Amino acid sequence: MFNDLLIGGIAGVISRSSVAPIELLRVQRQAHFIPNSTLKDVYKKEGFRYFWKGNLANCSRIFPQMAINFSVFKNTQNVSKKIFTNHKHISDFLSGALAGSISMAATYPLETTKTYLSLQTNKNKYKGIYDVLKNVPTRQIYQGVGVSMLGFASWSGIQYATYFKLTEKFKNTPYNSKLLLGGLAGSFAITITYPTDLLRRRLQIQGFDKTVPKYNNIFHAIKKIYKHEGFFGFYRGLSVNYMKTFPQTALQFWALENLNLLFKNENI
């Protein structure tokens, strides 16, 4: 289990740090109403290195999140395979979904912290991770945790099940690339679950800035977003998300596979 924790955590840090500027752009698109929320503004007002702002908080979050996620997945996969003997991909989905919900619940305060640090300008609201956790009320820190657990559980389950389905389908072919198949699995998963990610972000930043639309709960958020932004409002930033998700999950599964071989001398 220790090896699984370490493998998942390292893979998460590698994959997220590599696409941090695209992740920043994605968060900005989802919260487009906040002032200075474009990469151009960040470069002009803060400088190039701030394309990685919030990445320390993101890595502080993603290491334990992916460590828990991968460890729970690996250890529940063995049990679920015995239950769903003839339905391997159902087993992969359920193990991935359970891993996703547990890992998201365990690390959600750092997810909110990363979002706050990403959307501020020149540290005009918070000095760093500790400052956010110290000054933001606990209730506000956990805003959106319900939809996040649902969305991340679905995303995690779909990406694992899709990845293993693709590796099985393209085994012994020129297309059996961990990078390619990992990227495709992540992109497919986010296509299905993206509205939950946007809803999570909108609920998460309630109280962060006066420009943020007010939502009473998830149902009020759905109604208000649909009314003012239409159906495609739930997919705002999806094109940017593909730019981030494909390389991120490609590197994630590539790292998982190679680290698993390094530490345990076996495939995931």
Side-chain angles (χ1 to χ4, degrees):
M1 182 176 286
F2 176 77
N3 283 341
D4 290 333
L5 289 166
L6 192 60
I7 290 166
I10 294 173
V13 170
I14 290 172
S15 60
R16 268 55 175 193
S17 296
S18 300
V19 298
I22 307 176
E23 166 66 7
L24 174 61
L25 178 59
R26 179 180 75 100
V27 173
Q28 290 174 336
R29 289 289 178 86
Q30 291 179 335
H32 61 98
F33 32 75
I34 292 177
N36 303 315
S37 56
T38 68
L39 291 183
K40 183 179 179 180
D41 287 322
V42 171
Y43 182 74
K44 182 178 179 180
K45 297 176 182 293
E46 300 174 89
F48 178 77
R49 71 186 181 92
Y50 280 87
F51 286 163
W52 274 263
K53 65 177 177 176
N55 188 54
L56 178 59
N58 199 25
C59 289
S60 300
R61 168 193 69 92
I62 203 59
F63 188 95
Q65 186 181 69
M66 276 302 298
I68 295 168
N69 183 286
F70 186 63
S71 181
V72 171
F73 173 77
K74 288 293 289 182
N75 286 278
T76 58
Q77 187 187 38
N78 295 326
V79 177
S80 60
K81 279 181 178 178
K82 295 177 182 178
I83 300 173
F84 299 96
T85 309
N86 299 317
H87 301 280
K88 179 180 180 298
H89 301 301
I90 293 177
S91 166
D92 291 336
F93 172 78
L94 293 176
S95 296
L98 179 63
S101 60
I102 292 174
S103 60
M104 176 57 77
T107 59
Y108 194 74
L110 289 169
E111 168 65 32
T112 302
T113 299
K114 182 266 291 187
T115 299
Y116 281 20
L117 295 177
S118 296
L119 290 173
Q120 68 176 354
T121 302
N122 284 322
K123 299 184 178 181
N124 63 330
K125 294 180 182 291
Y126 306 102
K127 296 176 182 177
I129 299 171
Y130 177 73
D131 196 30
V132 176
L133 295 174
K134 178 183 176 182
N135 291 295
V136 177
T138 301
R139 183 176 179 180
Q140 187 174 334
I141 280 283
Y142 279 94
Q143 288 176 145
V145 67
V147 69
S148 293
M149 289 177 65
L150 173 64
F152 194 72
S154 302
W155 182 81
S156 181
I158 293 169
Q159 72 155 353
Y160 276 121
T162 304
Y163 177 74
F164 289 116
K165 177 69 174 178
L166 290 174
T167 54
E168 182 181 287
K169 182 177 179 63
F170 292 105
K171 188 177 181 180
N172 300 321
T173 73
Y175 304 103
N176 189 23
S177 162
K178 307 306 181 188
L179 289 169
L180 174 61
L181 302 184
L184 290 173
S187 298
F188 177 67
I190 200 63
T191 300
I192 297 174
T193 62
Y194 189 77
T196 65
D197 188 72
L198 182 129
L199 285 166
R200 177 268 299 272
R201 192 78 61 203
R202 294 293 180 87
L203 292 171
Q204 198 175 56
I205 59 177
Q206 293 294 294
F208 172 76
D209 191 87
K210 62 182 181 181
T211 61
V212 178
K214 300 293 189 295
Y215 305 119
N216 299 327
N217 50 53
I218 185 174
F219 300 107
H220 183 235
I222 292 171
K223 182 179 179 181
K224 196 167 181 178
I225 291 170
Y226 182 77
K227 179 180 179 180
H228 294 285
E229 301 178 57
F231 174 77
F232 291 105
F234 295 104
Y235 290 88
R236 182 182 289 275
L238 178 60
S239 58
V240 174
N241 208 86
Y242 284 135
M243 294 167 56
K244 181 208 77 160
T245 297
F246 190 96
Q248 174 186 293
T249 50
L251 288 168
Q252 174 184 298
F253 278 106
W254 174 84
L256 287 174
E257 290 279 8
N258 284 281
L259 290 169
N260 221 58
L261 287 170
L262 178 64
F263 287 104
K264 301 172 69 177
N265 197 31
E266 63 181 32
N267 293 317
I268 63 172

